[in-house]
């Protein structure tokens, strides 16, 4: 069975905004899979999201260079398609999105 929504987030050097977004998504009943594309931020994003988001299955990908928003979304969409994530919809947003 498919989850309702896979969320694709592209982030770059906005830790607080990303954590706010993940907290909002964690309480949503329709979001399960979250793919985060880090455009080579200057901080360790893994440590920043290494908290317990109990309702989210997070997949983190750190790029070797900042490819901009379009490069991050392209990478993320390709990842979702190649790995056949089970969802009906893909919701793509920047790290400062407000669902």
């Amino acid at each position: 069975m498919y989850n309702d929504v896979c969320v694709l987030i592209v982030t770059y050097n906005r830790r607080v905004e990303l954590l706010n977004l993940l907290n909002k998504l964690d309480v949503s009943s329709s979001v399960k899979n979250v793919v985060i594309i880090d455009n080579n931020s200057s901080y360790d994003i893994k440590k920043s999201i290494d908290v317990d988001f109990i309702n989210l299955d997070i997949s983190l990908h750190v790029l070797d260079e900042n490819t901009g928003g379009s490069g991050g979304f392209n990478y993320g969409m390709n990842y979702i398609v190649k790995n056949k994530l089970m969802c009906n919809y893909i919701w793509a947003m920047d790290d400062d999105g407000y669902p």
Side-chain angles (χ1 to χ4, degrees):
M1 179 166 190
Y2 285 5
N3 290 322
D4 290 336
V5 180
C6 293
V7 176
L8 170 58
I9 302 169
V10 175
T11 188
Y12 177 71
N13 281 339
R14 291 197 285 201
R15 177 185 177 278
V16 172
E17 291 84 350
L18 176 62
L19 291 176
N20 286 337
L21 174 57
L22 291 173
N23 281 318
K24 287 174 179 49
L25 294 174
D26 196 35
V27 298
S28 172
S29 61
S30 61
V31 173
K32 300 295 181 241
N33 292 311
V34 176
V35 177
I36 300 174
I37 309 301
D38 176 28
N39 254 328
N40 200 17
S41 293
S42 60
Y43 65 94
D44 186 354
I45 191 170
K46 174 80 170 116
K47 287 183 182 177
S48 296
I49 64 167
D50 201 17
V51 294
D52 192 17
F53 295 104
I54 59 174
N55 296 314
L56 302 178
D57 180 13
I58 298 175
S59 175
L60 172 63
H61 305 267
V62 179
L63 303 183
D64 292 333
E65 63 180 327
N66 186 340
T67 61
S70 60
F73 286 118
N74 182 52
Y75 183 96
M77 289 290 187
N78 283 322
Y79 173 82
I80 290 170
V81 170
K82 286 180 184 177
N83 290 282
K84 301 177 182 167
L85 295 186
M86 305 297 276
C87 53
N88 293 318
Y89 305 99
I90 300 171
W91 188 2
M93 68 180 83
D94 289 318
D95 50 14
D96 61 349
Y98 190 82

